[in-house]
Amino acid sequence: MRLNTLLEQKKTAIVKKWFAATIATYPSDTAKFLKSQKDPFANPVGRTTYQGLAALFDELLKETDHEVIRSFLDPIIRIRAVQNFSPSQATSFIFFLKNVIRDNIKKEDFQAQLFNELLSFESKIDELGLIAFNLYMNCREKIYELKANEMKNRTFRAFERAGLVRETPADKPDLDNINICKEASNDL
Amino acid sequence: MSETPKPDELFSNIDYRPPSSGWMDTPVDIKKGIYSYAGNPKSLEYVGLPFARQWNPIDEDWSLPENWKEIISKGFRERLDRFRSIKVFMDICVRCGACADKCHFFIGSGDPKNMPVLRAELLRSVYRNDFTTAGKIIGSIGKNFKKIIGARELDLQVLKEWWYYLFQCTECRRCSVFCPYGIDTAEITIMGRELLNLIGLNIDWIITPVANCYRTGNHLGIQPHAYKDMMDFFSDDIEEITGVKVEPSFNRKGAEILFVTPSGDVFADPGTYTCVGYMMLFHYLQEKYGFDITWSTYASEGGNFGFFTSHEMMKRLNAKMYAEAKRLGVKWIIGGECGHMWRVIHQYMDTMNGPADFLEEPVSPITGTKFENAKSTKMVHIAEFTADLIKHNKLELDTSRNDHLKVTYHDSCNTSRGMGLLEEPRYVIKNVCNNYYEMPVNTIREQTFCCGSGSGLNAGENMELRMQGGLPRANAVKYVHEKHGVNMLSCICAIDRAALSASVEYWVPEVEVTGVHEMVGNALILPGEHKRTTDLRSEPLPGMEDDDAE
C-alpha cells in the first residue's frame, strides 16, 4: 500500500495538475476563466470539473465502488458530451491522470513493489475510461432522444390538430360476435 | 500483426489541444448540433424577404447574391445612421472583459467567440475597417496593419462566422447588466441578424413562425377552428377535474378586455396546463365579479418572432394584436405568460405602433387598481393582474393543493431584464403554494440566466447548443433540487416552458416545468366545484385521493 500513501500525500498537487491538464482541452482564454472563477454558479463547467476530479481521485485511493465513481464522473461527462469535443476529446481527461501520477513519483521511488502497485492503479484508471465511455454514450443517446421526441411531438400534434388521429375510446364498442370464418367460430 | 499500429501512431490523430491561433485567424467551423437549419424559401417569400432560396449552412457555397458585400455595407451604413445606439456601441467598447464570462453560451460551451465582447467584435472589426477613418488610413498602408486596430475586411468566412455566432446569442441581455458602458449586445445581435436577412440568411425556426404568424395569426399556423377545438378539450379536462364547466368566449365584440397569450400555451405541453389555469381564473372572476374578457383566434399569438428578424417585421406582427383590439372594440388588453412579447410591448410598441389611443387606460374592474405602467401600451401582464387580485383578497385559494410541489422560479430574461417584472410572479407563487425556494442570487432577477433557447433558437437540430446554453440555469436548478428537494421549476414564458423542459430532462431529470398560472389553477377554488383528487395534469393529489377508493 505504499503507492496509496504516496498518492495521498501528493493529493492536492496531483488533483491540481489533473484539473489543469483537463481544462487545457479548452481554448486558452476559456481555460483561464475556468480556472480562476471560483463561484460554482458563475462557472459551472470549471467548478463541476474540479469537484468531480477531486472526488474521483479520492475514490480511486479507496476500494473503488462503480456506482460512486459513476456519480462523480457523470456531471463532467454530461458537460463534455454537449460541448464541441469529439468522443475521444471528451473522455481524454481520464487518461491524463496517468501522466500526472508518473510525473509526481520520483525515479528513486520506482521499486519493483511500487511499480506493480502503479500498474494496478493504472488499471483502475482504465476502468474509469470504460465507465466514461458508457456515460458518454448515455448522454449522447439522451440528446438524440430529446431531438427525436421534439420532432415526434411536433408531428403527432400536427396530425392531431388536423383530426387525423383518434384515441381509442375508453368504452368498448358494442359489437355482436363477428366470425370471419367458420373455423374461427369453432375455436371460440 | 505487423499492420497493428503502435500506441503512438494510434493516438497521434487524436488532438485534444485547441488551436492556439488568435480569434481572427481561427476559421469558423460550423458544427452539427450547434447550427439551426436555413429558412424555408417559401416562408421568406411569403413575408417579402429578399433572396429566398434553398441553401445549406454546411455547404461551401451559400448561393449568395453577387453583390452581397455591397448590400451588407449599404445596410450597415443605413443602420449606423438610423440607430444612434448602434453607432455608440460600435465605438465605445474598451474591451474591458466585464461581459466576457457572463454569457450562458460562453459559460456552457467554452467557445471564446461566444464571449459577448468577441461576438460583437465580429461586427466591430468590419465596422472599423469600412466606416472609421483610422480603419481607412491604416488599411491603405497595408492589409497586415489592419489587425493592429482590430479591423478586417468582410469576406465569405467572416460572413459565415457572423451567421454562425449571431444565431448563438439569445438576445437575453445578461451581458449588458455587467457592461460599465451599458452596451446592449442584444442590439448588436439584432442589427447583425437584420443585415443577414438582407441577403436571405435566416434560420427556419424563426422565419417559418414569422410567416405563419403573418398569415394565420400564430407561430404554428393553427387555424381558428383548431384553436377553439383545443380550448374545448381543455374545458372538458377542467370539467373532469373540478366538475365545473368553463366556457371561454372567442372573438367577441364589445368585451371589456382582450386576452392575448403565446400559442405555445394552447398547443405545447406543459404550457397547456398554464392555459387551463388562465381559463379557470377567468371563469372564477366571471362567476364572482362579472368579469368580461374574450380570447381571439386571430390575435392568437403573443410571441413575436419578427423581433428576431427585423424592426419592420416586429412592427408588422405586433400590430395585429392592436388591430384585433380595435376591431373587437375592447377597452384594454391582458397579456399571458410570455417572454419576448413583453419586451416588444414594453420597449418598442409605444414608438412603433403606439400610442394605442383608441384603448382606455387599464383599470382592474374587480379591484379598481389603475395599472399606470401600462398607461400608454394599454396592456397588462397577467402576473401583475393576478397579484393585484390576491393582494385585495379577491381569490379563494386552497394552497394545500400545491403541497406536492417544491417550487423555484426562473426569471425569464425578457420580463425581468426587459421590463423589471420581478416581484409580482413571486408574490403570486408564494400565495398559491407553500414550498418556495429561490435559486442562488447571481442566477435570478436581473442576473437571471437564459433558458438557452430564446430568440428563435428552440429548434431540435441545435440541441447541443441548447444544452450548452441551458447549463448555467440548470446548474442552479440542480443546486436547489439537491439542497431543498425542489421538484418544480416555474416560469412565465412559453419558450421557457418548452426549452426548460428539455434542459432539465438532460441536466436535472427529477425536476419538471410549470407556468405560474397552472399553480394558480391548482389552488383556485371554483364556485360549485367538487372535491378535487388530481392536479391540473390529472395526476393524483397526495392525501386527497377519492373517498370511494378507500
Side-chain angles (χ1 to χ4, degrees), chain B residues 93-108:
Chain B
C93 173
V94 291
R95 290 187 261 185
C96 70
C99 64
D101 56 359
K102 306 304 186 296
C103 170
H104 52 291
F105 282 122
F106 170 67
I107 294 172

Side-chain angles (χ1 to χ4, degrees), chain B residues 95-211:
Chain B
R95 290 187 261 185
C96 70
C99 64
D101 56 359
K102 306 304 186 296
C103 170
H104 52 291
F105 282 122
F106 170 67
I107 294 172
S109 71
D111 183 343
K113 285 183 189 170
N114 272 326
M115 292 179 182
V117 55
L118 209 39
R119 199 185 293 109
E121 207 64 17
L122 302 176
L123 271 86
R124 271 196 201 105
S125 53
V126 173
Y127 165 77
R128 288 195 196 101
N129 188 67
D130 292 0
F131 301 103
T132 64
T133 316
K136 282 172 188 162
I137 293 170
I138 291 183
S140 67
I141 303 170
K143 219 176 173 180
N144 294 336
F145 291 94
K146 287 183 179 179
K147 253 189 222 170
I148 301 169
I149 57 156
R152 62 175 177 173
E153 272 175 40
L154 177 65
D155 59 22
L156 185 60
Q157 280 307 309
V158 173
L159 181 78
K160 289 188 173 185
E161 202 169 41
W162 277 16
W163 182 83
Y164 190 53
Y165 286 101
L166 291 173
F167 289 101
Q168 289 187 53
C169 165
T170 45
E171 304 178 4
C172 81
R173 297 166 81 232
R174 187 170 192 267
C175 51
S176 70
V177 171
F178 298 90
C179 176
Y181 287 93
I183 296 173
D184 186 346
T185 310
E187 281 201 29
I188 297 175
T189 298
I190 290 168
M191 193 202 67
R193 288 188 183 183
E194 268 200 33
L195 292 177
L196 292 169
N197 266 291
L198 296 176
I199 51 173
L201 300 177
N202 206 316
I203 62 171
D204 198 50
W205 219 79
I206 292 177
I207 205 61
T208 293
V210 164

Side-chain angles (χ1 to χ4, degrees), chain A residues 67-149:
Chain A
E67 268 316 299
V68 178
I69 289 279
R70 276 174 64 94
S71 71
F72 295 142
L73 201 48
D74 184 279
I76 307 176
I77 298 287
R78 196 159 288 275
I79 289 171
R80 296 176 73 88
V82 292
Q83 291 179 325
N84 302 331
F85 292 120
S86 65
S88 62
Q89 286 170 332
T91 48
S92 58
F93 70 94
I94 288 168
F95 304 101
F96 298 166
L97 181 59
K98 289 188 181 180
N99 279 340
V100 171
I101 289 174
R102 288 173 200 166
D103 289 348
N104 265 277
I105 299 174
K106 287 181 206 151
K107 269 193 182 154
E108 52 269 31
D109 286 335
F110 260 118
Q111 301 138 356
Q113 192 205 343
L114 197 62
F115 188 71
N116 283 338
E117 284 179 29
L118 185 63
L119 283 182
S120 72
F121 193 87
E122 290 199 350
S123 296
K124 281 189 184 181
I125 297 176
D126 293 337
E127 260 182 69
L128 215 63
L130 293 175
I131 298 171
F133 182 57
N134 284 345
L135 291 171
Y136 180 84
M137 281 314 296
N138 285 346
C139 291
R140 295 305 307 170
E141 279 167 11
K142 189 74 205 170
I143 290 292
Y144 293 127
E145 189 187 310
L146 286 171
K147 285 187 189 187
N149 283 345

Side-chain angles (χ1 to χ4, degrees), chain B residues 37 81 86 164 192 194 207 209 222 234 250 262 298 301 307 369 475 482 505 522 548:
Chain B
Y37 297 148
D81 293 341
I86 290 296
Y164 190 53
E194 268 200 33
I207 205 61
I222 303 153
F234 297 158
F250 298 93
Y298 300 109
E301 182 61 73
F307 184 37
T369 299
N475 181 57
E482 286 170 356
E505 193 177 334
N522 270 340
D548 301 342

Side-chain angles (χ1 to χ4, degrees), chain B residues 220-504:
Chain B
L220 298 165
I222 303 153
Q223 298 184 49
H225 61 281
Y227 194 92
K228 186 179 175 298
D229 273 357
M230 203 63 195
M231 301 266 295
D232 285 344
F233 287 137
F234 297 158
S235 291
D236 293 345
D237 285 348
I238 295 171
E239 192 172 9
E240 205 166 295
I241 295 164
T242 68
V244 176
K245 184 77 182 165
V246 168
E247 284 172 350
S249 74
F250 298 93
N251 311 333
R252 182 162 51 84
K253 286 191 175 177
E256 185 180 353
I257 300 163
L258 168 66
F259 182 62
V260 180
T261 201
S263 60
D265 286 350
V266 184
F267 283 89
D269 293 340
T272 49
Y273 306 113
T274 305
C275 188
V276 167
Y278 305 144
M279 290 165 73
M280 291 167 73
L281 175 68
F282 297 156
H283 175 82
Y284 176 95
L285 298 175
Q286 190 190 340
E287 292 291 300
K288 289 255 185 183
Y289 310 106
F291 187 63
D292 183 17
I293 195 163
T294 184
W295 298 63
S296 167
T297 56
Y298 300 109
S300 49
E301 182 61 73
N304 186 336
F305 278 32
F307 184 37
F308 314 135
T309 309
S310 69
H311 286 82
E312 289 71 24
M313 201 62 78
M314 162 170 58
K315 179 179 176 173
R316 203 193 253 188
L317 299 185
N318 169 263
K320 73 191 161 51
M321 301 192 314
Y322 285 88
E324 181 67 344
K326 199 171 191 176
R327 185 182 79 87
L328 296 177
V330 299
K331 289 182 184 166
W332 54 286
I333 308 171
I334 292 182
E337 296 185 14
C338 185
H340 61 269
M341 163 171 87
W342 285 105
R343 173 118 157 256
V344 172
I345 296 291
H346 191 71
Q347 296 188 335
Y348 296 89
M349 180 316 188
D350 218 20
T351 50
M352 206 165 56
N353 288 318
D357 48 13
F358 55 91
L359 297 172
E360 290 177 18
E361 191 182 327
V363 177
S364 169
I366 298 155
T367 64
T369 299
K370 268 191 182 182
F371 296 101
E372 285 178 2
N373 55 326
K375 204 171 188 170
S376 191
T377 61
K378 317 287 196 294
M379 189 153 170
V380 175
H381 196 290
I382 193 160
E384 213 177 340
F385 177 74
T386 305
D388 176 63
L389 292 170
I390 295 173
K391 181 91 183 164
H392 287 89
N393 212 15
K394 297 291 181 190
L395 300 182
E396 212 181 329
L397 300 162
D398 177 358
T399 53
S400 72
R401 293 202 289 233
N402 281 319
D403 275 354
H404 58 306
L405 307 178
K406 288 191 173 175
V407 183
T408 190
Y409 175 67
H410 160 74
D411 290 272
S412 308
C413 311
N414 288 303
T415 49
S416 59
R417 279 190 286 271
M419 66 183 291
L421 190 77
L422 305 170
E423 297 306 331
E424 291 83 350
R426 288 181 166 80
Y427 182 79
V428 174
I429 297 167
K430 287 176 190 168
N431 277 284
V432 298
C433 65
N434 296 318
N435 311 307
Y436 178 73
Y437 304 93
E438 286 285 5
M439 284 183 274
V441 70
N442 54 342
T443 71
I444 54 168
R445 297 178 183 263
E446 294 91 341
Q447 295 188 54
T448 187
F449 275 115
C450 178
C451 62
S453 308
S455 84
L457 301 186
N458 200 30
E461 63 271 16
N462 61 343
M463 193 59 78
E464 284 85 341
L465 175 77
R466 289 175 48 192
M467 293 303 122
Q468 292 173 358
L471 169 61
R473 164 47 72 226
N475 181 57
V477 175
K478 191 176 175 195
Y479 173 76
V480 283
H481 166 69
E482 286 170 356
K483 191 171 180 197
H484 304 292
V486 162
N487 57 11
M488 193 53 94
L489 172 60
S490 64
C491 59
I492 51 167
C493 166
I495 296 283
D496 279 341
R497 282 189 279 279
L500 291 171
S501 294
S503 178
V504 294

